[in-house]
Amino acid sequence: MKTVRLTAAVLAGVLAHAAHAQPAAAEEAPALSPTAAAFLAQFGEDDAQSLTWAQFEAFRQQRYTATDTNNDGTVDAQEYAAEYLQRFDARLAKARAGHLKQTDTRFKALDREKDGRISRAEFDAAGERTWDGYEKAQNATREDAAATNRDPLKMPTSHTANGMLELYDQNKDGVVDRAEFDAVRAAQFTATDTDRDGALNLAEYTAEFEQRLDAQRLKVRADADRQSKVRFGALDTDKDGRMTFAEYQVSGKRLFTRADSNGDGVVDARDPEPAAGSHSANGNR
């Protein structure tokens, strides 16, 4: 019995010492730079915190093989565009779902009286808040721009100067005046109020936003299709209409090199953010 008590006491002491000696292990891991984080989110697996060049090259080879749907050993322009648009469509669908999820939140914020309807007075009050913030929006922060770039739908927002112009600059003179702003807001309320009861319910509010989402989706998808053809032409360096893996991997090497800013062959938390002005790591090829 004494031996058991002694062993338990010793064990308890060892465990207590070990627990006391472990605070360093509990420290948070170094944060990834924005570029490294974006690269790993796109090309890593399940919240990966690092990716070697060998792993990335294997991933690129696998994608290239899957893109070569006729199995002739090269990728033509149609195969290249089709593979890219398939991935882009998945990103658009995810972004659309995210935007719609926020619709209920926005509706509740506008419905100040909490009666399940946005009256014209509540709608106009929101417009006043938007207009009051216009001067601030003209000095949109870099973070605002980055958030817009992360959204494949690139929905215009009144929180940025460019978004205000896209939404309200009717005569395209590069300035939003109050008359334009009020006219667009009034027309939007009238078009959204489909049952003509003088207020907007959630179904009307959501339907109007869905229409804008889907129109924007068609626009950005068409742009993406055109861009994929431009990229194919740039990567097909011998201009024979067929892209070899070596040609395809030129863009992959460029993406990896930017994310692997310290040049050690691994994208991880040791890579500092690249200098501004260098090529983005958020490319899709």
Side-chain angles (χ1 to χ4, degrees):
M1 183 68 70
K2 290 182 181 180
T3 303
V4 173
R5 282 200 299 270
L6 180 60
T7 302
V10 171
L11 180 59
V14 170
L15 290 176
H17 176 75
H20 183 70
Q22 285 184 358
E27 292 180 1
E28 293 185 5
L32 292 161
S33 74
T35 296
F39 182 88
L40 291 171
Q42 185 174 352
F43 301 111
E45 293 184 0
D46 299 328
D47 300 321
Q49 295 298 297
S50 67
L51 192 70
T52 67
W53 167 251
Q55 290 171 319
F56 180 64
E57 189 169 37
F59 166 83
R60 294 279 295 180
Q61 181 65 69
Q62 184 180 39
R63 175 178 285 179
Y64 179 85
T65 300
T67 303
D68 177 22
T69 54
N70 66 4
N71 299 314
D72 68 351
T74 60
V75 169
D76 61 33
Q78 184 176 352
E79 290 172 325
Y80 182 85
E83 189 277 334
Y84 171 67
L85 288 176
Q86 182 180 29
R87 289 187 291 112
F88 191 63
D89 282 341
R91 292 179 62 213
L92 290 177
K94 183 177 180 180
R96 185 182 188 277
H99 279 289
L100 285 177
K101 188 175 181 180
Q102 291 299 315
T103 302
D104 185 64
T105 300
R106 289 195 302 272
F107 183 89
K108 290 176 179 176
L110 294 176
D111 178 19
R112 293 296 180 94
E113 296 181 0
K114 307 305 177 188
D115 61 355
R117 304 181 342 142
I118 299 172
S119 67
R120 181 58 191 267
E122 289 171 326
F123 186 81
D124 288 346
E128 287 296 331
R129 292 192 294 274
T130 298
W131 184 257
D132 288 342
Y134 181 33
E135 185 174 343
K136 180 180 179 181
Q138 289 177 304
N139 298 308
T141 64
R142 195 172 164 188
E143 288 74 20
D144 288 335
T148 301
N149 289 335
R150 287 194 295 270
D151 174 17
L153 279 167
K154 301 186 185 302
M155 290 297 290
T157 170
S158 59
H159 297 301
T160 67
N162 287 339
M164 285 287 289
L165 290 173
E166 188 170 345
L167 289 168
Y168 300 111
D169 182 18
Q170 297 297 286
N171 61 10
K172 306 304 179 187
D173 65 351
V175 178
V176 177
D177 62 37
R178 187 59 195 250
E180 285 178 312
F181 179 79
D182 288 342
V184 172
R185 296 278 302 178
Q188 183 182 9
F189 186 91
T190 299
T192 305
D193 181 22
T194 55
D195 64 8
R196 301 294 182 259
D197 69 347
L200 309 180
N201 58 44
L202 180 58
E204 289 172 326
Y205 185 81
T206 302
E208 186 277 335
F209 186 60
E210 280 189 296
Q211 288 180 346
R212 286 192 284 130
L213 276 175
D214 291 338
Q216 185 74 354
R217 176 189 173 279
L218 291 176
K219 177 183 175 181
V220 299
R221 193 182 191 280
D223 289 343
D225 188 23
R226 287 190 291 270
Q227 290 168 9
S228 72
K229 292 177 173 59
V230 171
R231 286 197 302 272
F232 181 90
L235 292 173
D236 178 24
T237 52
D238 59 9
K239 308 306 176 187
D240 64 352
R242 298 182 303 170
M243 185 190 302
T244 64
F245 180 69
E247 289 173 324
Y248 176 78
Q249 192 62 325
V250 168
S251 63
K253 179 64 174 175
R254 186 164 54 242
L255 288 171
F256 188 90
T257 298
R258 174 170 162 76
D260 178 26
S261 57
N262 69 359
D264 67 353
V266 182
V267 175
D268 57 19
R270 292 172 294 183
D271 293 303
E273 181 66 6
S278 54
H279 293 295
S280 172
N282 291 326
N284 292 292
R285 301 308 305 192

